[in-house]
Amino acid sequence: MNRIDNYIRISQLIAKEVNYGLEEEEQLELNQWIDDCEENRQLYDRIRNRESFLEWDQQMHKVDLEEGWKCIDEAINPNRRMAVFQAVLRYAAVVMIPLFLAGVGYYLYNDITNLPQPKQVAKLSKPKPKARLILADGKKVNLDNVEVAAMKEKDGTHIEKGAGVLKYQAGEKEQEVKPLYNTVEIPKGGEYQLNLSDGTKVYLNSMSSLKFPVRFSGKTRDVILKGEAYFEVSKDAKHPFVVNVAETKVEVLGTSFNVKAYDEETEIVTTLVEGSVKVKTSGENAGSLLLKPGQQAVVNEENGMMDMREVDVALFTSWKDGVFLFKNQRMEDIMMELARWYDVKVFYQNPSVKELCFGGHFNRSGDISSIMEMFELTRKVDAKINGKTIVISEK
């Protein structure tokens, strides 16, 4: 690996460290580079320091690069130009890492290299969510209540509550003639994991609910979803797992996939990660699609039409891993997701700002103030935070 490629590689590692966190081997690689010499360590410290980065960027944009290169070109002998160019590259390498961090590390894909000094914005802390479980008899249980650790349904099913996880385990008692259903409801800013009695794992996103039998019986394993969930279905060839969303059914035998179907949106989106799923619709435009990994079925709820797309599944499943991941998405669509998670209301001073497109990697455990600040750094929008309200305008 040559010197320039090495700096590019290190810049990518630092960018990933800032936004995602590194795998063990990547962290060792970065640590080795930092420990190689004191200059590397000092450069790393400057990059990780926000004020130093913005100061560097401001100085960079004061330089007339075209005029500077013209002067150099006129001053040197043609026979020495290659040697001078190589020397310039050696010294330029020390600024390549911040340069790549400007374009890659912040993961904002529109005009992010033109960074102004950030202005102070009001901090808006994320509310503490309060998920709840509704038992078959209608009793409501606050899942954030530390005093609740275990429950049992009338059919003998054991329900164990852990940290952010609810586990169902069928008891010895035979299933009653009438199945017992539970419902888990997740408010704004919440998420929860369910381990169903068949071994299926369900990750519920904010403003979502899942209705399910405490013990599966019959030919299919049916659940009813509102909102968004990621499923890791336990294999059972004799009993297909079926996710019911309005007039759409997602049928699987054993696989991993994401279903997004919020009431305020007009599309039901199924994204397949592993295995295969069949998406079926009813009504006037009834039809079905068999998906392969990396494919997505989009059902328009207004007319029942269904379309299939090839997608980057990470853009639709990263929420499960604690990350907001956007790529060339409309401001309105981005803010719709942020509003569900942070429990805020968003207003736009003009319709055109809704259509601006951005990309980014953001940690869901952070506060929305820092996210809005990063969008402001693109010099395309202004964001004013007042209590639980955000007003966005176009610059």
Side-chain angles (χ1 to χ4, degrees), residues 210-239:
L210 189 76
K211 184 177 181 180
F212 55 95
V214 298
R215 187 195 306 234
F216 289 104
S217 62
K219 296 181 179 180
T220 60
R221 296 172 286 166
D222 282 74
V223 299
I224 302 172
L225 171 68
K226 291 184 178 181
E228 184 171 22
Y230 182 92
F231 295 84
E232 294 177 356
V233 176
S234 178
K235 293 184 178 180
D236 184 346
K238 295 182 179 179
H239 303 91

PDB file of all heavy atoms in Angstrom, residues 210-239:
ATOM      1  N   LEU A 210     -47.253  -4.968  17.773  1.00  0.00           N
ATOM      2  CA  LEU A 210     -47.376  -6.319  17.225  1.00  0.00           C
ATOM      3  C   LEU A 210     -48.366  -7.107  18.075  1.00  0.00           C
ATOM      4  O   LEU A 210     -48.234  -7.177  19.297  1.00  0.00           O
ATOM      5  CB  LEU A 210     -46.024  -7.034  17.222  1.00  0.00           C
ATOM      6  CG  LEU A 210     -46.016  -8.372  16.476  1.00  0.00           C
ATOM      7  CD1 LEU A 210     -46.001  -8.126  14.962  1.00  0.00           C
ATOM      8  CD2 LEU A 210     -44.816  -9.231  16.876  1.00  0.00           C
ATOM      9  N   LYS A 211     -49.360  -7.693  17.396  1.00  0.00           N
ATOM     10  CA  LYS A 211     -50.325  -8.581  18.055  1.00  0.00           C
ATOM     11  C   LYS A 211     -49.980 -10.005  17.649  1.00  0.00           C
ATOM     12  O   LYS A 211     -49.818 -10.303  16.458  1.00  0.00           O
ATOM     13  CB  LYS A 211     -51.757  -8.228  17.632  1.00  0.00           C
ATOM     14  CG  LYS A 211     -52.827  -9.056  18.349  1.00  0.00           C
ATOM     15  CD  LYS A 211     -54.210  -8.593  17.938  1.00  0.00           C
ATOM     16  CE  LYS A 211     -55.285  -9.401  18.674  1.00  0.00           C
ATOM     17  NZ  LYS A 211     -56.659  -8.969  18.284  1.00  0.00           N
ATOM     18  N   PHE A 212     -49.898 -10.907  18.612  1.00  0.00           N
ATOM     19  CA  PHE A 212     -49.399 -12.254  18.335  1.00  0.00           C
ATOM     20  C   PHE A 212     -49.991 -13.249  19.330  1.00  0.00           C
ATOM     21  O   PHE A 212     -50.332 -12.890  20.462  1.00  0.00           O
ATOM     22  CB  PHE A 212     -47.863 -12.274  18.441  1.00  0.00           C
ATOM     23  CG  PHE A 212     -47.356 -11.756  19.763  1.00  0.00           C
ATOM     24  CD1 PHE A 212     -47.060 -12.632  20.800  1.00  0.00           C
ATOM     25  CD2 PHE A 212     -47.194 -10.394  19.984  1.00  0.00           C
ATOM     26  CE1 PHE A 212     -46.607 -12.150  22.027  1.00  0.00           C
ATOM     27  CE2 PHE A 212     -46.743  -9.907  21.201  1.00  0.00           C
ATOM     28  CZ  PHE A 212     -46.453 -10.786  22.229  1.00  0.00           C
ATOM     29  N   PRO A 213     -50.117 -14.519  18.939  1.00  0.00           N
ATOM     30  CA  PRO A 213     -50.576 -15.540  19.885  1.00  0.00           C
ATOM     31  C   PRO A 213     -49.451 -15.915  20.838  1.00  0.00           C
ATOM     32  O   PRO A 213     -48.288 -15.999  20.419  1.00  0.00           O
ATOM     33  CB  PRO A 213     -50.952 -16.715  18.979  1.00  0.00           C
ATOM     34  CG  PRO A 213     -50.118 -16.533  17.768  1.00  0.00           C
ATOM     35  CD  PRO A 213     -49.939 -15.059  17.590  1.00  0.00           C
ATOM     36  N   VAL A 214     -49.780 -16.115  22.093  1.00  0.00           N
ATOM     37  CA  VAL A 214     -48.733 -16.467  23.049  1.00  0.00           C
ATOM     38  C   VAL A 214     -48.171 -17.857  22.763  1.00  0.00           C
ATOM     39  O   VAL A 214     -47.054 -18.184  23.145  1.00  0.00           O
ATOM     40  CB  VAL A 214     -49.253 -16.386  24.500  1.00  0.00           C
ATOM     41  CG1 VAL A 214     -49.686 -14.961  24.832  1.00  0.00           C
ATOM     42  CG2 VAL A 214     -50.389 -17.367  24.725  1.00  0.00           C
ATOM     43  N   ARG A 215     -48.983 -18.682  22.080  1.00  0.00           N
ATOM     44  CA  ARG A 215     -48.537 -20.005  21.652  1.00  0.00           C
ATOM     45  C   ARG A 215     -49.124 -20.255  20.258  1.00  0.00           C
ATOM     46  O   ARG A 215     -50.332 -20.143  20.070  1.00  0.00           O
ATOM     47  CB  ARG A 215     -49.021 -21.065  22.631  1.00  0.00           C
ATOM     48  CG  ARG A 215     -48.479 -22.458  22.363  1.00  0.00           C
ATOM     49  CD  ARG A 215     -49.275 -23.490  23.137  1.00  0.00           C
ATOM     50  NE  ARG A 215     -49.336 -23.179  24.559  1.00  0.00           N
ATOM     51  CZ  ARG A 215     -48.976 -24.030  25.513  1.00  0.00           C
ATOM     52  NH1 ARG A 215     -48.541 -25.220  25.203  1.00  0.00           N
ATOM     53  NH2 ARG A 215     -49.099 -23.693  26.788  1.00  0.00           N
ATOM     54  N   PHE A 216     -48.268 -20.575  19.292  1.00  0.00           N
ATOM     55  CA  PHE A 216     -48.760 -20.771  17.927  1.00  0.00           C
ATOM     56  C   PHE A 216     -49.454 -22.126  17.783  1.00  0.00           C
ATOM     57  O   PHE A 216     -49.009 -23.130  18.344  1.00  0.00           O
ATOM     58  CB  PHE A 216     -47.605 -20.689  16.925  1.00  0.00           C
ATOM     59  CG  PHE A 216     -47.058 -19.303  16.763  1.00  0.00           C
ATOM     60  CD1 PHE A 216     -45.853 -18.935  17.348  1.00  0.00           C
ATOM     61  CD2 PHE A 216     -47.752 -18.352  16.026  1.00  0.00           C
ATOM     62  CE1 PHE A 216     -45.350 -17.666  17.197  1.00  0.00           C
ATOM     63  CE2 PHE A 216     -47.256 -17.062  15.872  1.00  0.00           C
ATOM     64  CZ  PHE A 216     -46.049 -16.721  16.458  1.00  0.00           C
ATOM     65  N   SER A 217     -50.555 -22.124  17.014  1.00  0.00           N
ATOM     66  CA  SER A 217     -51.281 -23.358  16.704  1.00  0.00           C
ATOM     67  C   SER A 217     -51.869 -23.201  15.301  1.00  0.00           C
ATOM     68  O   SER A 217     -51.935 -22.097  14.769  1.00  0.00           O
ATOM     69  CB  SER A 217     -52.381 -23.615  17.734  1.00  0.00           C
ATOM     70  OG  SER A 217     -53.327 -22.568  17.721  1.00  0.00           O
ATOM     71  N   GLY A 218     -52.292 -24.256  14.711  1.00  0.00           N
ATOM     72  CA  GLY A 218     -52.867 -24.183  13.372  1.00  0.00           C
ATOM     73  C   GLY A 218     -51.797 -24.323  12.296  1.00  0.00           C
ATOM     74  O   GLY A 218     -50.626 -24.613  12.563  1.00  0.00           O
ATOM     75  N   LYS A 219     -52.206 -24.092  11.052  1.00  0.00           N
ATOM     76  CA  LYS A 219     -51.331 -24.318   9.903  1.00  0.00           C
ATOM     77  C   LYS A 219     -50.328 -23.187   9.678  1.00  0.00           C
ATOM     78  O   LYS A 219     -49.287 -23.401   9.057  1.00  0.00           O
ATOM     79  CB  LYS A 219     -52.173 -24.518   8.644  1.00  0.00           C
ATOM     80  CG  LYS A 219     -53.058 -25.770   8.697  1.00  0.00           C
ATOM     81  CD  LYS A 219     -53.840 -25.909   7.405  1.00  0.00           C
ATOM     82  CE  LYS A 219     -54.714 -27.167   7.447  1.00  0.00           C
ATOM     83  NZ  LYS A 219     -55.495 -27.336   6.186  1.00  0.00           N
ATOM     84  N   THR A 220     -50.634 -21.989  10.147  1.00  0.00           N
ATOM     85  CA  THR A 220     -49.730 -20.854   9.952  1.00  0.00           C
ATOM     86  C   THR A 220     -49.460 -20.161  11.277  1.00  0.00           C
ATOM     87  O   THR A 220     -50.234 -20.275  12.233  1.00  0.00           O
ATOM     88  CB  THR A 220     -50.315 -19.833   8.964  1.00  0.00           C
ATOM     89  OG1 THR A 220     -51.551 -19.340   9.470  1.00  0.00           O
ATOM     90  CG2 THR A 220     -50.533 -20.474   7.588  1.00  0.00           C
ATOM     91  N   ARG A 221     -48.352 -19.443  11.304  1.00  0.00           N
ATOM     92  CA  ARG A 221     -47.989 -18.645  12.482  1.00  0.00           C
ATOM     93  C   ARG A 221     -48.251 -17.177  12.131  1.00  0.00           C
ATOM     94  O   ARG A 221     -47.400 -16.520  11.528  1.00  0.00           O
ATOM     95  CB  ARG A 221     -46.515 -18.868  12.838  1.00  0.00           C
ATOM     96  CG  ARG A 221     -46.176 -20.296  13.246  1.00  0.00           C
ATOM     97  CD  ARG A 221     -44.675 -20.497  13.396  1.00  0.00           C
ATOM     98  NE  ARG A 221     -44.000 -20.559  12.100  1.00  0.00           N
ATOM     99  CZ  ARG A 221     -42.684 -20.454  11.933  1.00  0.00           C
ATOM    100  NH1 ARG A 221     -41.898 -20.239  12.988  1.00  0.00           N
ATOM    101  NH2 ARG A 221     -42.151 -20.543  10.735  1.00  0.00           N
ATOM    102  N   ASP A 222     -49.424 -16.686  12.496  1.00  0.00           N
ATOM    103  CA  ASP A 222     -49.848 -15.347  12.088  1.00  0.00           C
ATOM    104  C   ASP A 222     -49.603 -14.310  13.181  1.00  0.00           C
ATOM    105  O   ASP A 222     -49.898 -14.552  14.360  1.00  0.00           O
ATOM    106  CB  ASP A 222     -51.330 -15.345  11.733  1.00  0.00           C
ATOM    107  CG  ASP A 222     -51.597 -15.928  10.359  1.00  0.00           C
ATOM    108  OD1 ASP A 222     -51.518 -17.163  10.196  1.00  0.00           O
ATOM    109  OD2 ASP A 222     -51.867 -15.137   9.433  1.00  0.00           O
ATOM    110  N   VAL A 223     -49.095 -13.142  12.761  1.00  0.00           N
ATOM    111  CA  VAL A 223     -48.978 -11.985  13.640  1.00  0.00           C
ATOM    112  C   VAL A 223     -49.512 -10.771  12.890  1.00  0.00           C
ATOM    113  O   VAL A 223     -49.604 -10.771  11.654  1.00  0.00           O
ATOM    114  CB  VAL A 223     -47.521 -11.744  14.089  1.00  0.00           C
ATOM    115  CG1 VAL A 223     -46.985 -12.935  14.872  1.00  0.00           C
ATOM    116  CG2 VAL A 223     -46.630 -11.428  12.891  1.00  0.00           C
ATOM    117  N   ILE A 224     -49.869  -9.726  13.626  1.00  0.00           N
ATOM    118  CA  ILE A 224     -50.408  -8.507  13.022  1.00  0.00           C
ATOM    119  C   ILE A 224     -49.508  -7.337  13.410  1.00  0.00           C
ATOM    120  O   ILE A 224     -49.281  -7.079  14.598  1.00  0.00           O
ATOM    121  CB  ILE A 224     -51.860  -8.242  13.485  1.00  0.00           C
ATOM    122  CG1 ILE A 224     -52.760  -9.427  13.122  1.00  0.00           C
ATOM    123  CG2 ILE A 224     -52.396  -6.950  12.865  1.00  0.00           C
ATOM    124  CD1 ILE A 224     -54.164  -9.331  13.709  1.00  0.00           C
ATOM    125  N   LEU A 225     -49.009  -6.624  12.400  1.00  0.00           N
ATOM    126  CA  LEU A 225     -48.053  -5.540  12.632  1.00  0.00           C
ATOM    127  C   LEU A 225     -48.623  -4.186  12.251  1.00  0.00           C
ATOM    128  O   LEU A 225     -49.293  -4.037  11.232  1.00  0.00           O
ATOM    129  CB  LEU A 225     -46.774  -5.778  11.814  1.00  0.00           C
ATOM    130  CG  LEU A 225     -45.746  -4.641  11.777  1.00  0.00           C
ATOM    131  CD1 LEU A 225     -45.098  -4.446  13.152  1.00  0.00           C
ATOM    132  CD2 LEU A 225     -44.690  -4.886  10.707  1.00  0.00           C
ATOM    133  N   LYS A 226     -48.331  -3.193  13.074  1.00  0.00           N
ATOM    134  CA  LYS A 226     -48.516  -1.783  12.731  1.00  0.00           C
ATOM    135  C   LYS A 226     -47.192  -1.085  13.001  1.00  0.00           C
ATOM    136  O   LYS A 226     -46.601  -1.276  14.065  1.00  0.00           O
ATOM    137  CB  LYS A 226     -49.627  -1.140  13.569  1.00  0.00           C
ATOM    138  CG  LYS A 226     -51.031  -1.635  13.240  1.00  0.00           C
ATOM    139  CD  LYS A 226     -52.071  -0.877  14.058  1.00  0.00           C
ATOM    140  CE  LYS A 226     -53.487  -1.339  13.704  1.00  0.00           C
ATOM    141  NZ  LYS A 226     -54.507  -0.592  14.484  1.00  0.00           N
ATOM    142  N   GLY A 227     -46.733  -0.293  12.045  1.00  0.00           N
ATOM    143  CA  GLY A 227     -45.454   0.387  12.222  1.00  0.00           C
ATOM    144  C   GLY A 227     -44.325  -0.347  11.537  1.00  0.00           C
ATOM    145  O   GLY A 227     -44.448  -0.745  10.380  1.00  0.00           O
ATOM    146  N   GLU A 228     -43.224  -0.572  12.252  1.00  0.00           N
ATOM    147  CA  GLU A 228     -42.049  -1.184  11.636  1.00  0.00           C
ATOM    148  C   GLU A 228     -41.430  -2.227  12.544  1.00  0.00           C
ATOM    149  O   GLU A 228     -41.336  -2.052  13.760  1.00  0.00           O
ATOM    150  CB  GLU A 228     -40.992  -0.113  11.316  1.00  0.00           C
ATOM    151  CG  GLU A 228     -39.771  -0.649  10.589  1.00  0.00           C
ATOM    152  CD  GLU A 228     -38.837   0.439  10.082  1.00  0.00           C
ATOM    153  OE1 GLU A 228     -38.901   1.571  10.631  1.00  0.00           O
ATOM    154  OE2 GLU A 228     -38.061   0.173   9.147  1.00  0.00           O
ATOM    155  N   ALA A 229     -40.996  -3.337  11.935  1.00  0.00           N
ATOM    156  CA  ALA A 229     -40.366  -4.409  12.697  1.00  0.00           C
ATOM    157  C   ALA A 229     -39.390  -5.170  11.821  1.00  0.00           C
ATOM    158  O   ALA A 229     -39.578  -5.287  10.605  1.00  0.00           O
ATOM    159  CB  ALA A 229     -41.406  -5.363  13.272  1.00  0.00           C
ATOM    160  N   TYR A 230     -38.354  -5.684  12.461  1.00  0.00           N
ATOM    161  CA  TYR A 230     -37.381  -6.556  11.799  1.00  0.00           C
ATOM    162  C   TYR A 230     -37.585  -7.950  12.359  1.00  0.00           C
ATOM    163  O   TYR A 230     -37.617  -8.153  13.575  1.00  0.00           O
ATOM    164  CB  TYR A 230     -35.961  -6.059  12.074  1.00  0.00           C
ATOM    165  CG  TYR A 230     -34.882  -6.862  11.391  1.00  0.00           C
ATOM    166  CD1 TYR A 230     -34.408  -6.494  10.139  1.00  0.00           C
ATOM    167  CD2 TYR A 230     -34.330  -7.976  12.003  1.00  0.00           C
ATOM    168  CE1 TYR A 230     -33.405  -7.222   9.509  1.00  0.00           C
ATOM    169  CE2 TYR A 230     -33.330  -8.721  11.380  1.00  0.00           C
ATOM    170  CZ  TYR A 230     -32.875  -8.336  10.139  1.00  0.00           C
ATOM    171  OH  TYR A 230     -31.887  -9.071   9.519  1.00  0.00           O
ATOM    172  N   PHE A 231     -37.735  -8.939  11.470  1.00  0.00           N
ATOM    173  CA  PHE A 231     -38.050 -10.312  11.881  1.00  0.00           C
ATOM    174  C   PHE A 231     -36.896 -11.251  11.573  1.00  0.00           C
ATOM    175  O   PHE A 231     -36.317 -11.210  10.477  1.00  0.00           O
ATOM    176  CB  PHE A 231     -39.287 -10.828  11.141  1.00  0.00           C
ATOM    177  CG  PHE A 231     -40.558 -10.101  11.467  1.00  0.00           C
ATOM    178  CD1 PHE A 231     -40.882  -8.926  10.804  1.00  0.00           C
ATOM    179  CD2 PHE A 231     -41.435 -10.589  12.430  1.00  0.00           C
ATOM    180  CE1 PHE A 231     -42.066  -8.246  11.099  1.00  0.00           C
ATOM    181  CE2 PHE A 231     -42.617  -9.931  12.725  1.00  0.00           C
ATOM    182  CZ  PHE A 231     -42.930  -8.754  12.059  1.00  0.00           C
ATOM    183  N   GLU A 232     -36.565 -12.095  12.540  1.00  0.00           N
ATOM    184  CA  GLU A 232     -35.676 -13.234  12.320  1.00  0.00           C
ATOM    185  C   GLU A 232     -36.501 -14.479  12.644  1.00  0.00           C
ATOM    186  O   GLU A 232     -36.659 -14.870  13.798  1.00  0.00           O
ATOM    187  CB  GLU A 232     -34.440 -13.141  13.220  1.00  0.00           C
ATOM    188  CG  GLU A 232     -33.538 -11.956  12.885  1.00  0.00           C
ATOM    189  CD  GLU A 232     -32.357 -11.812  13.828  1.00  0.00           C
ATOM    190  OE1 GLU A 232     -32.284 -12.601  14.816  1.00  0.00           O
ATOM    191  OE2 GLU A 232     -31.510 -10.941  13.604  1.00  0.00           O
ATOM    192  N   VAL A 233     -37.052 -15.072  11.585  1.00  0.00           N
ATOM    193  CA  VAL A 233     -38.069 -16.118  11.756  1.00  0.00           C
ATOM    194  C   VAL A 233     -37.436 -17.487  11.948  1.00  0.00           C
ATOM    195  O   VAL A 233     -36.549 -17.897  11.178  1.00  0.00           O
ATOM    196  CB  VAL A 233     -39.018 -16.137  10.539  1.00  0.00           C
ATOM    197  CG1 VAL A 233     -40.017 -17.283  10.662  1.00  0.00           C
ATOM    198  CG2 VAL A 233     -39.745 -14.799  10.421  1.00  0.00           C
ATOM    199  N   SER A 234     -37.892 -18.192  12.956  1.00  0.00           N
ATOM    200  CA  SER A 234     -37.457 -19.555  13.208  1.00  0.00           C
ATOM    201  C   SER A 234     -38.021 -20.472  12.130  1.00  0.00           C
ATOM    202  O   SER A 234     -39.205 -20.397  11.786  1.00  0.00           O
ATOM    203  CB  SER A 234     -37.944 -19.994  14.595  1.00  0.00           C
ATOM    204  OG  SER A 234     -37.582 -21.328  14.853  1.00  0.00           O
ATOM    205  N   LYS A 235     -37.199 -21.340  11.573  1.00  0.00           N
ATOM    206  CA  LYS A 235     -37.624 -22.202  10.470  1.00  0.00           C
ATOM    207  C   LYS A 235     -38.609 -23.269  10.926  1.00  0.00           C
ATOM    208  O   LYS A 235     -38.419 -23.925  11.942  1.00  0.00           O
ATOM    209  CB  LYS A 235     -36.412 -22.864   9.816  1.00  0.00           C
ATOM    210  CG  LYS A 235     -35.499 -21.896   9.089  1.00  0.00           C
ATOM    211  CD  LYS A 235     -34.369 -22.615   8.375  1.00  0.00           C
ATOM    212  CE  LYS A 235     -33.498 -21.620   7.614  1.00  0.00           C
ATOM    213  NZ  LYS A 235     -32.387 -22.292   6.904  1.00  0.00           N
ATOM    214  N   ASP A 236     -39.657 -23.416  10.149  1.00  0.00           N
ATOM    215  CA  ASP A 236     -40.659 -24.463  10.370  1.00  0.00           C
ATOM    216  C   ASP A 236     -41.382 -24.660   9.040  1.00  0.00           C
ATOM    217  O   ASP A 236     -42.324 -23.941   8.713  1.00  0.00           O
ATOM    218  CB  ASP A 236     -41.643 -24.055  11.468  1.00  0.00           C
ATOM    219  CG  ASP A 236     -42.644 -25.164  11.796  1.00  0.00           C
ATOM    220  OD1 ASP A 236     -42.736 -26.132  11.005  1.00  0.00           O
ATOM    221  OD2 ASP A 236     -43.333 -25.054  12.821  1.00  0.00           O
ATOM    222  N   ALA A 237     -40.916 -25.637   8.239  1.00  0.00           N
ATOM    223  CA  ALA A 237     -41.436 -25.830   6.885  1.00  0.00           C
ATOM    224  C   ALA A 237     -42.917 -26.168   6.863  1.00  0.00           C
ATOM    225  O   ALA A 237     -43.615 -25.896   5.889  1.00  0.00           O
ATOM    226  CB  ALA A 237     -40.649 -26.944   6.187  1.00  0.00           C
ATOM    227  N   LYS A 238     -43.429 -26.744   7.939  1.00  0.00           N
ATOM    228  CA  LYS A 238     -44.842 -27.138   7.976  1.00  0.00           C
ATOM    229  C   LYS A 238     -45.768 -26.005   8.400  1.00  0.00           C
ATOM    230  O   LYS A 238     -46.981 -26.092   8.197  1.00  0.00           O
ATOM    231  CB  LYS A 238     -45.018 -28.325   8.922  1.00  0.00           C
ATOM    232  CG  LYS A 238     -44.311 -29.589   8.460  1.00  0.00           C
ATOM    233  CD  LYS A 238     -44.571 -30.727   9.435  1.00  0.00           C
ATOM    234  CE  LYS A 238     -43.881 -32.007   8.957  1.00  0.00           C
ATOM    235  NZ  LYS A 238     -44.114 -33.138   9.915  1.00  0.00           N
ATOM    236  N   HIS A 239     -45.199 -24.961   8.989  1.00  0.00           N
ATOM    237  CA  HIS A 239     -46.022 -23.860   9.497  1.00  0.00           C
ATOM    238  C   HIS A 239     -45.428 -22.513   9.071  1.00  0.00           C
ATOM    239  O   HIS A 239     -44.588 -21.956   9.793  1.00  0.00           O
ATOM    240  CB  HIS A 239     -46.137 -23.921  11.022  1.00  0.00           C
ATOM    241  CG  HIS A 239     -46.697 -25.211  11.529  1.00  0.00           C
ATOM    242  ND1 HIS A 239     -45.894 -26.293  11.874  1.00  0.00           N
ATOM    243  CD2 HIS A 239     -47.979 -25.610  11.724  1.00  0.00           C
ATOM    244  CE1 HIS A 239     -46.653 -27.284  12.283  1.00  0.00           C
ATOM    245  NE2 HIS A 239     -47.928 -26.905  12.201  1.00  0.00           N
TER     246      HIS A 239
END
